């Protein structure tokens, strides 16, 4: 778990640094950074989606996942519940930042394969690399959204800790099937694209409502063996 602890610690450190820098950055520069993160999110989402589509053996699964996830999220009204809770605490923008940053932190080869290698081989290289990327990402996001971005560390700890526990119990590098990583990455890439559009003010796709879509590929791959 050392790699995961380092990763989460770096997110807390990055968020703290970014929030301190926020007080010294004027509004124009904050807006520029905000737009830059929107573009970066679009680029990373598109790359993640396209690069994994060619590897997918279930080309229709991501479509079904997004559709089902959106329906489930809308019925539960995930976005509405979170927005109302955020409004009561004056943290409406923070929710958008946390959603986007957590997708960046968790959906990707480093954050999925990393805990597996850590549990099976004691190799934390992937997680240390991921931590280096996350400290930069969290710092930049915190210049816009503030110290609340450190809550992303808790999400990362639960995500990577869960994967670590599964791999440790199974004691196998194939504890997380490659097909599952591929399909989750495609859906995650689409959700990042959705977040990027929201950040840039192009279209609010209610990304939070579509988060259940990430569960569909996991369930499908497990059922299909």
């Amino acid at each position: 778990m050392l790699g995961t602890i380092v990763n989460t610690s770096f997110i807390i450190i990055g968020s703290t640094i970014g929030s301190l820098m926020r007080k010294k950055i004027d509004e124009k520069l904050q807006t520029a950074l905000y737009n830059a993160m929107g573009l970066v999110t679009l680029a990373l989402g598109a790359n993640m989606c396209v690069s994994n589509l060619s590897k997918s053996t279930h080309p229709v699964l991501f479509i079904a996942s997004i559709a089902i996830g959106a329906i489930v999220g809308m019925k539960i009204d995930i976005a509405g519940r979170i927005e109302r809770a955020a409004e009561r605490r004056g943290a409406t923008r923070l929710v958008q930042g946390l959603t986007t940053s957590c997708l960046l932190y968790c959906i990707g080869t480093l954050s999925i394969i990393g805990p597996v290698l850590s549990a099976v081989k004691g190799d934390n290289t992937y997680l240390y690399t991921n931590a280096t990327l996350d400290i930069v990402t969290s710092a930049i996001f915190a210049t816009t959204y503030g110290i609340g971005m450190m809550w992303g560390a808790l999400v990362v700890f639960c995500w990577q800790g869960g994967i670590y526990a599964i791999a440790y119990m199974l004691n196998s590098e194939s504890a997380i099937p490659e097909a599952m990583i591929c399909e989750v990455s495609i859906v995650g890439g689409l959700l990042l694209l959705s977040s990027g559009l929201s950040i840039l003010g192009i279209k609010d796709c209610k990304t939070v409502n579509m988060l259940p879509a990430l569960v569909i590929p996991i369930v499908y791959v497990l059922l299909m063996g």
Side-chain angles (χ1 to χ4, degrees):
M1 286 290 287
L2 177 61
T4 295
I5 292 171
V6 170
N7 200 160
T8 53
S9 299
F10 271 37
I11 292 173
I12 294 172
I13 294 170
S15 299
T16 303
I17 293 171
S19 64
L20 292 174
M21 290 173 58
R22 185 186 187 192
K23 300 174 182 177
K24 301 179 180 179
I25 297 176
D26 60 37
E27 190 174 342
K28 287 185 178 179
L29 187 52
Q30 281 189 21
T31 301
L33 286 172
Y34 190 67
N35 290 334
M37 289 311 299
L39 290 171
V40 168
T41 303
L42 281 176
L44 291 174
N47 179 65
M48 191 180 296
C49 185
V50 173
S51 62
N52 283 283
L53 271 174
S54 59
K55 305 174 188 175
S56 175
T57 53
H58 311 285
V60 184
L61 180 57
F62 78 95
I63 301 174
S65 298
I66 290 292
I68 295 171
I71 292 171
V72 172
M74 185 184 67
K75 291 294 184 182
I76 301 175
D77 192 23
I78 300 175
R81 292 172 187 268
I82 293 177
E83 285 171 5
R84 287 190 290 273
E87 284 175 4
R88 288 196 293 269
R89 293 167 174 77
T92 305
R93 287 186 73 190
L94 177 60
V95 173
Q96 184 184 60
L98 280 173
T99 301
T100 305
S101 63
C102 287
L103 285 170
L104 287 170
Y105 298 152
C106 298
I107 307 302
T109 303
L110 294 175
S111 196
I112 298 176
I113 298 297
V116 175
L117 294 178
S118 179
V120 177
K121 293 185 173 183
D123 182 359
N124 291 308
T125 305
Y126 273 35
L127 290 177
Y128 291 156
T129 304
N130 199 52
T132 305
L133 296 173
D134 288 350
I135 193 173
V136 176
T137 304
S138 59
I140 295 175
F141 269 94
T143 59
T144 299
Y145 299 106
I147 193 65
M149 292 304 300
M150 68 169 53
W151 284 105
L154 179 60
V155 176
V156 172
F157 184 83
C158 294
W159 171 263
Q160 292 185 0
I163 295 174
Y164 180 97
I166 293 170
Y168 185 82
M169 287 186 291
L170 297 178
N171 193 30
S172 170
E173 288 186 50
S174 60
I176 309 296
E178 187 176 340
M180 184 184 295
I181 297 173
C182 176
E183 301 302 332
V184 169
S185 296
I186 295 172
V187 175
L190 286 173
L191 294 181
L192 280 172
L193 281 170
S194 174
S195 292
L197 292 174
S198 297
I199 291 174
L200 293 172
I202 298 172
K203 174 69 176 179
D204 184 3
C205 301
K206 301 292 183 185
T207 307
V208 176
N209 270 349
M210 291 189 282
L211 289 179
L214 290 168
V215 179
I216 308 301
I218 297 174
V219 173
Y220 180 84
V221 172
L222 288 175
L223 289 177
M224 294 299 290

